[in-house]
Amino acid sequence: MGRITRYEVVFSKEDAIFQAGDEVEGFVYLDLNEEFKCRAVRIRCSGECHTYVDDGSSSEDEWENYYEETITVFGKMKGQPGEDPVLQPGSYEYPFKFQLPMRGLPSSFEYKKQYVRYMVKSFIDIPRKFDRSAKKFFTLIQVSDLNQERNAMKSQRKQAQKSVGMWCCAAGYLDLWMQIPRTGYVPGESIILKGEANNHTTREMSATTVYLAQNIKVRAHGKKKRYGRNVVEIKKLKYAPGETCVWDNQPLLIPAVAPSFLMGCSLIDLYYSLEVSASPSGPSFDLDLSYDIIIGTVPHREALAMESAYMPPPAGPNMVKIGFEGQAQGGPPPSEGPIPLLPPPSYNACMFGEVEPEDKRDKGANAEGNQKDKFAPRYTYYNFQPNPAT
């Protein structure tokens, strides 16, 4: 590595998960085996959003900044005159502490070139050369209390019917209905599916699929684009003419994903939907139903009361009562009124896996001492016991 043998950002909080208003603390470690002339060593904490839209004829990038603070831990302040100092060979530890704003910070989010990203970055400011840098990303989770969502406990039932085939190839009709008990969920809860797809045709149905979709709308300097990806799905395969595909209180478990909306972000809209699709074999269009879903970080009291009826009794001191004073550190904020006893949430890596964050503005990113780290945001997840089918 040359003169730099170690350059690393380490957070004091091991899981590196924060909320608005938290203090982000840690150390920057720097080991040198030769002297190093530089203007300064600085540490920056920042949060930003980036979007990229390509409409086929041209493309646009746009950035949105939520927070940025820089401290100088060695050398000259910006614009300070005088001779540049020299770092001597040896090991250095530079502590840092940043106070995040109380509001206006959307949750961490990653999708290809679209992201909301928070990091601490240290860089050695070198005259007339590329800076040497070390950075570490952290997760910011925006609190989303389902008790504040008017439609969180709203049940949804939809049905549709369509003819299969056309004209002389008409094969009968397909009837589909599905209902879900509510609209709002937290990761770790299950959407309980109840419904039927009735095959009143002379054809075999190739599949009926239910999946939770993550829908992403992005903007960049007037250009807009939509993206989508499946979070989790259940598929029931072939059923013959005259048969019925039944969904009898089947749970669809919600994994660790970002909460809905990304409040505070004006470049990315994030929302979820439950999609149901019955697919006839042969030439014909699918029969589809769609339901709005809200993903939060704090469970609804009424839903939690129903969940707690199926949960085992408290097993030890890790159990907390959310909604009262003295809640466990790291748990969600209190809501109005008592909430039944439950384990504190864990924080699971995003189910879509790690990314290798890149920023085209990082000049000299491959220079000596500069790091490339993979990163996956971590989101609130509750280890609920599944509801039994009734």
Side-chain angles (χ1 to χ4, degrees):
M1 186 178 278
R3 292 172 291 180
I4 300 174
T5 58
R6 183 190 184 193
Y7 197 9
E8 185 179 9
V9 176
V10 177
F11 294 111
S12 298
K13 191 177 181 183
E14 187 175 355
D15 62 12
I17 299 169
F18 301 93
Q19 294 180 0
D22 286 349
E23 289 184 338
V24 179
E25 299 182 65
F27 292 87
V28 172
Y29 296 99
L30 174 63
D31 292 349
L32 301 174
N33 58 18
E34 297 179 23
E35 65 178 31
F36 204 125
K37 188 173 183 178
C38 63
R39 290 193 186 99
V41 178
R42 311 187 201 279
I43 305 174
R44 176 185 299 137
C45 183
S46 64
E48 67 176 10
C49 172
H50 171 256
T51 54
Y52 171 83
V53 177
D54 186 342
D55 63 5
S57 59
S58 62
S59 62
E60 291 285 352
D61 288 272
E62 188 168 354
W63 281 266
E64 183 173 69
N65 184 267
Y66 306 115
Y67 167 73
E68 184 174 310
E69 183 179 352
T70 302
I71 58 175
T72 300
V73 294
F74 171 82
K76 301 188 300 183
M77 303 299 291
K78 282 191 174 182
Q80 181 179 342
E83 184 70 18
D84 291 332
V86 176
L87 279 166
Q88 296 299 321
S91 297
Y92 299 86
E93 292 184 12
Y94 300 115
F96 61 82
K97 180 188 291 187
F98 297 98
Q99 179 78 50
L100 296 176
M102 290 297 297
R103 55 181 60 86
L105 302 181
S107 294
S108 298
F109 178 72
E110 298 280 346
Y111 177 74
K112 297 183 178 180
K113 296 181 181 181
Q114 333 294 331
Y115 60 76
V116 175
R117 194 176 287 168
Y118 298 86
M119 71 175 174
V120 170
K121 180 178 181 178
S122 176
F123 54 98
I124 305 172
D125 187 349
I126 307 170
R128 297 176 296 279
K129 292 185 179 179
F130 290 129
D131 293 344
R132 307 297 189 263
S133 66
K135 57 189 174 184
K136 191 65 68 70
F137 299 93
F138 63 89
T139 300
L140 191 291
I141 299 178
Q142 183 185 68
V143 174
S144 176
D145 189 345
L146 292 178
N147 296 280
Q148 307 301 318
E149 292 289 343
R150 183 179 60 182
N151 294 323
M153 292 302 294
K154 180 182 178 182
S155 63
Q156 298 183 64
R157 187 186 193 280
K158 295 183 180 182
Q159 64 183 65
Q161 187 181 97
K162 69 169 296 182
S163 297
V164 174
M166 300 178 65
W167 299 301
C168 62
C169 297
Y173 70 95
L174 179 63
D175 181 58
L176 173 66
W177 68 269
M178 182 75 72
Q179 67 181 34
I180 57 176
R182 50 193 164 96
T183 297
Y185 299 86
V186 295
E189 288 186 308
S190 293
I191 303 173
I192 305 302
L193 309 171
K194 186 176 182 65
E196 293 180 357
N198 298 295
N199 184 6
H200 301 290
T201 77
T202 57
R203 289 188 191 174
E204 184 177 70
M205 294 295 116
S206 60
T208 301
T209 306
V210 180
Y211 62 94
L212 181 66
Q214 185 181 76
N215 307 292
I216 307 153
K217 296 180 181 179
V218 302
R219 292 172 288 278
H221 294 296
K223 293 182 181 294
K224 299 179 181 180
K225 196 161 187 176
R226 297 188 181 195
Y227 301 93
R229 55 184 173 179
N230 289 7
V231 175
V232 61
E233 73 171 36
I234 301 176
K235 180 177 287 187
K236 293 193 175 184
L237 298 178
K238 300 177 180 179
Y239 49 105
E243 289 188 344
T244 298
C245 176
V246 177
W247 301 80
D248 187 13
N249 290 333
Q250 183 158 0
L252 182 71
L253 180 65
I254 301 173
V257 289
S260 296
F261 309 132
L262 292 184
M263 296 297 293
C265 176
S266 67
L267 300 181
I268 303 175
D269 294 331
L270 180 67
Y271 61 99
Y272 294 87
S273 60
L274 184 74
E275 305 292 337
V276 184
S277 181
S279 304
S281 58
S284 189
F285 294 106
D286 293 349
L287 178 57
D288 300 319
L289 299 174
S290 183
Y291 306 79
D292 294 332
I293 297 293
I294 301 171
I295 303 297
T297 63
V298 180
H300 198 282
R301 291 184 297 275
E302 292 181 34
L304 197 54
M306 291 185 285
E307 291 280 359
S308 64
Y310 302 106
M311 293 176 61
N318 288 331
M319 305 295 286
V320 296
K321 187 170 288 187
I322 298 175
F324 291 91
E325 293 184 2
Q327 71 176 66
Q329 185 175 2
S335 302
E336 294 296 327
I339 293 181
L341 207 62
L342 81 162
S346 57
Y347 296 94
N348 290 5
C350 177
M351 59 87 56
F352 294 112
E354 294 182 323
V355 298
E356 189 173 281
E358 293 184 357
D359 187 341
K360 64 173 65 176
R361 299 171 301 175
D362 274 347
K363 295 181 179 180
N366 296 319
E368 171 198 355
N370 293 357
Q371 297 179 345
K372 275 193 172 184
D373 289 333
K374 290 187 176 181
F375 171 71
R378 299 174 65 83
Y379 298 118
T380 306
Y381 186 89
Y382 291 85
N383 292 302
F384 292 114
Q385 297 293 319
N387 284 344
T390 56

